[in-house]
Amino acid sequence: MVAARAQEADRLVARPPQDVVFYLVYGPDTGLVSERARTIAAAFSDPSDPFALVRIEASELTANPTRLADEAYAVSMFSSRRAILLRDGGGRADLASRFRALFKQPPPDTAIVVEAGDLKKSSPLRVLFEQESRAYAIPCFADDERSIGALIDEEARAAGLSIASEARALLVSLLGGDRLMTRGEIQKLCLHAHGTGTITLSDVEALIGDSSTFAIDEVIDAAAGGALTVLVEGLAKARAEGIDAGQIVGAALRHFMLLDELRAAVDSGVAPADAVNGARPPVFFKRKGKVEAALGLWPPARLARAVIVLGEAARDARLNASLAADIVGETLLTLARAADQAAGRRRR
C-alpha cells in the first residue's frame, strides 16, 4: 500500500520518485489538489516541449475510450519523459478498470497524474491506487495553522520580505480552506509590500482583514446558525460589494471544518464555550457566541456532509466563474435551511 501520509505529501510532491509513474491526488481542498497535481506533472515533463504534458478531462474518455492508453504508450519525438494530467472532477467509476490495465504494463516514459475530488475510502480508484505498489495516493486536506504559516514564510522569502509576528498571526487566522486562494492572497500581500522590506500588521488589515472579511464572516455565521434572512441579505451585500464567491466558499469550508473539530471536542466532554475559546486559529471574540450556538445545531454526520458539499461547491465555482455566486449562494442557503430545521427541533 502506497498511501502517502498528509505530513509526507509536500516532500513527495516536491520530489516525486522518477521510478513511480502513477499518482492520484485527491481531497476536499480543491486548490491544493490542483496545485500538487500540476507540480507532479511538471516534474515529469519538459517545459520547453509543448507536447510533453497532455491534459485530459475524464469526461472525454466516453467519446474516446482508448485515448488514455494511446497517450500513455505514445512515443515522444522530442522529450525523453512525458506526463498526462487527467482531471476527474466527477469521480468516474470506470477509471479504476482503466488503471488496472495500465498497472499491468506501466508506460516506460510517461507518468500519469490523476487530479480528483474528495474520494471516499471505498472509492474504487482510491482503493486501487492505495493497494498498488507502483503508485501513490496523495490526500489534500485543508491547510492547518502550521502549513499556512509555512506557506506565508515561503512566499515572503521568495519576495525578499520579512513579516512582523503580529501580522503573521493575523494572516494565519484569516487564511486557509483552499490552497490556491491562500497562496493568491499571500502573493497579493507581498506585491503590496514590495520595496518596504517587511509586511506589517497594517498591510494585512488593509488587504486581507478589510470590511469584506467581516461581511464574509456574517454570511458564514448566518449559514451555520440557520439565520436565513440574515444570510440572504448578507449574500446580496457581498455581491453588491464585489466580494469573490470563491473567497466566501473557501472561508465557509474552513469554518465548517473548524466546527467539525470543535464538535468532536464537545462530544468528548469539553464544554462548548471551552472548545470555542481553545480553537486554533482563534475565533474572533465577537463571533464566539454564534459559533457556540452553531455547535448545538450540527451533529458530526451532518458536519462531515457539509464539508463535502462545500468542497464540491468550491470546485464547481472555480470551474464555472460566471455561475460562482449562484453556486455558492445556493449551497450556503441549503446549509442554512438544515441549521434552521435543527434549531426548530431544539425549540420544540
Side-chain angles (χ1 to χ4, degrees):
M1 177 180 288
V2 191
R5 293 190 178 93
Q7 59 268 31
E8 298 173 339
D10 284 329
R11 175 188 56 78
L12 179 61
V13 170
R15 296 181 181 83
Q18 294 295 297
D19 59 338
V20 176
V21 297
F22 299 106
Y23 295 85
L24 170 65
V25 189
Y26 70 94
D29 188 334
T30 55
L32 184 56
V33 169
S34 178
E35 181 177 281
R36 284 177 169 170
R38 286 188 285 109
T39 300
I40 295 171
F44 287 93
S45 56
D46 182 354
S48 66
D49 179 2
F51 302 104
L53 176 60
V54 179
R55 301 176 185 272
I56 302 176
E57 294 288 336
S59 58
E60 298 174 27
L61 300 179
T62 300
N64 190 353
T66 66
R67 187 183 175 197
L68 180 59
D70 291 344
E71 293 287 359
Y73 298 118
V75 177
S76 175
M77 297 179 63
F78 304 102
S79 303
S80 60
R81 298 298 299 270
R82 301 169 66 248
I84 297 172
L85 183 57
L86 176 64
R87 295 188 68 257
D88 177 34
R92 291 174 61 94
D94 63 333
L95 279 184
S97 61
R98 297 177 187 275
F99 275 96
R100 284 192 190 94
L102 290 169
F103 285 169
K104 292 178 181 178
Q105 186 179 353
D109 300 315
T110 302
I112 305 176
V113 185
V114 184
E115 179 184 335
D118 190 14
L119 303 178
K120 297 180 180 179
K121 288 184 178 180
S122 59
S123 162
L125 189 63
R126 179 176 167 182
V127 170
L128 182 67
F129 268 76
E130 289 181 343
Q131 292 179 344
E132 171 59 46
S133 61
R134 294 166 295 181
Y136 272 104
I138 303 173
C140 297
F141 302 111
D143 289 318
D144 57 17
E145 271 188 273
R146 182 188 61 80
S147 54
I148 293 173
L151 193 60
I152 293 169
D153 296 338
E154 173 191 331
E155 290 293 337
R157 281 194 304 270
L161 297 166
S162 61
I163 182 167
S165 59
E166 64 272 19
R168 187 179 186 276
L170 177 59
L171 195 54
V172 167
S173 72
L174 293 172
L175 298 176
D178 184 283
R179 172 63 71 89
L180 289 183
M181 292 180 188
T182 296
R183 191 181 291 278
E185 290 296 311
I186 298 169
Q187 290 173 343
K188 181 177 69 175
L189 184 61
C190 290
L191 184 62
H192 172 78
H194 178 70
T196 65
T198 303
I199 299 171
T200 66
L201 180 61
S202 60
D203 292 328
V204 177
E205 290 174 337
L207 264 73
I208 312 297
D210 57 10
S211 60
S212 66
T213 299
F214 302 107
I216 292 172
D217 289 345
E218 182 180 351
V219 165
I220 293 170
D221 287 335
L228 288 162
T229 301
V230 175
L231 176 60
V232 171
E233 293 173 352
L235 287 170
K237 178 181 177 182
R239 184 175 293 202
E241 293 181 358
I243 298 175
D244 181 58
Q247 186 180 358
I248 295 174
V249 73
L253 177 59
R254 181 173 69 250
H255 183 69
F256 272 81
M257 293 182 73
L258 174 63
L259 286 178
D260 191 37
E261 293 178 8
L262 298 181
R263 180 71 203 210
V266 170
D267 289 346
S268 69
V270 178
D274 292 338
V276 173
N277 286 331
R280 292 293 180 272
V283 176
F284 186 52
F285 74 94
K286 290 185 178 180
R287 301 180 65 199
K288 287 185 177 180
K290 294 178 181 178
V291 174
E292 184 177 340
L295 283 176
L297 304 177
W298 291 92
R302 285 200 172 189
L303 280 171
R305 178 58 186 163
V307 168
I308 293 173
V309 167
L310 286 167
E312 292 172 345
R315 177 201 63 207
D316 293 343
R318 180 166 57 87
L319 296 176
N320 302 278
S322 62
L323 299 175
D326 294 329
I327 292 169
V328 173
E330 186 56 40
T331 300
L332 292 177
L333 283 167
T334 298
L335 297 178
R337 293 187 190 103
D340 182 53
Q341 291 173 0
R345 289 192 293 270
R346 287 173 66 89
R347 287 192 294 268
R348 287 198 293 268

